[in-house]
Amino acid sequence: MRFGRTLEKSVYGPWKDYYIDYKTLKRLLRESDASDRESSARQNDEVRKWTEADEGAFVEELVNVQLEKVNKFQVETYKQLRDRTSRCESKLEKLVTTAEEKDDNEEQGEALRHDIKAEEKQTILKTVLKELDNITEETNELEKFSRINFTGFLKAAKKHDRKRGSNYR
C-alpha cells in the first residue's frame, strides 16, 4: 500500500489541516520529472536537471512549512491537553480537600461549612471522568498524529534521496 493512501486513512478529521502535505512534497519532487519528459519529447538532447532552486523549494516546503506546521500544532495540542488535565486535577483536589476538612472538623467537633453534597460529588466525578476519557482519546490521536507525520517526513526525505540525492553526494 502506498503511504499517501495510508496517510489519508489515518487522518483524524478535526486535525486534517495540520498533517504533513505529502502530495505537495511528492509534486515538488516530480516537477522536474514531468519537465524531463516534456523536454525530451521536444528536444532529445536537452534534459532538465534537478537544480539548486528545485532543491531549495523542496527543503523550504519540507522543513520550513510542513515540519513547522506539524510541530506547532503538536506543541499547542499537547499544552491544551495538559491544561485540561490540570483543570480536572484541580476539580478533584477540591473534593479531597473538602473530605480532609470534614475529617479535621469532625475530630474537633465543629460543623462543616463547605460540605459538598453526595449528589454534587457524583456529578463532579462523572464530569471529570468524562473529560479525562476525552483527554485520553485525544492523547491517543496525538500519538497517532505524531507517528504518521514522522513516517511522512522520513518517506519524503527517503524519496528525495532516492530521486535527487545523487546530485548531492
Side-chain angles (χ1 to χ4, degrees):
M1 179 178 273
R2 298 204 176 272
F3 178 73
R5 290 187 196 136
T6 303
L7 177 62
E8 288 174 8
K9 291 179 182 178
S10 300
V11 168
Y12 178 55
W15 299 348
K16 68 180 178 183
D17 296 334
Y18 303 102
Y19 283 81
I20 184 174
D21 189 355
Y22 191 70
K23 287 180 182 177
T24 297
L25 294 172
K26 281 180 53 176
R27 182 182 46 76
L28 287 171
L29 286 173
R30 288 184 180 157
E31 279 181 351
S32 65
D33 286 349
S35 298
D36 289 349
R37 278 184 246 123
E38 290 173 13
S39 65
S40 64
R42 292 182 195 144
Q43 302 167 349
N44 292 334
D45 296 335
E46 287 186 34
V47 177
R48 185 174 179 273
K49 299 279 185 192
W50 181 255
T51 65
E52 288 292 325
D54 295 332
E55 182 72 12
F58 178 79
V59 171
E60 172 71 22
E61 182 67 26
L62 180 68
V63 176
N64 296 336
V65 177
Q66 298 301 320
L67 185 59
E68 186 63 31
K69 172 181 73 172
V70 169
N71 182 59
K72 181 179 177 187
F73 177 76
Q74 188 169 348
V75 168
E76 288 174 3
T77 303
Y78 172 77
K79 286 179 183 177
Q80 290 172 358
L81 290 170
R82 189 185 62 215
D83 292 344
R84 288 170 56 194
T85 303
S86 294
R87 286 193 298 272
C88 288
E89 184 179 9
S90 125
K91 289 177 185 177
L92 292 174
E93 283 176 349
K94 289 177 186 176
L95 295 179
V96 172
T97 303
T98 302
E100 289 172 356
E101 287 174 0
K102 183 177 181 179
D103 290 343
D104 291 344
N105 289 338
E106 285 176 356
E107 289 175 7
Q108 298 172 2
E110 298 176 11
L112 181 63
R113 291 181 225 142
H114 304 310
D115 188 22
I116 297 178
K117 295 179 182 175
E119 293 173 4
E120 192 176 341
K121 284 183 183 179
Q122 288 299 319
T123 303
I124 291 171
L125 288 172
K126 285 180 183 177
T127 303
V128 169
L129 183 60
K130 186 175 182 178
E131 178 65 8
L132 288 173
D133 285 343
N134 291 338
I135 291 169
T136 301
E137 287 177 24
E138 284 192 34
T139 301
N140 290 335
E141 289 298 332
L142 187 60
E143 180 185 8
K144 291 177 196 174
F145 175 87
S146 298
R147 286 184 184 181
I148 197 74
N149 281 295
F150 178 77
T151 302
F153 286 112
L154 287 179
K155 295 268 187 191
K158 185 176 176 182
K159 187 175 286 277
H160 166 270
D161 290 348
R162 189 174 61 244
K163 290 184 138 210
R164 309 295 175 204
S166 62
N167 295 339
Y168 296 97
R169 288 186 187 151

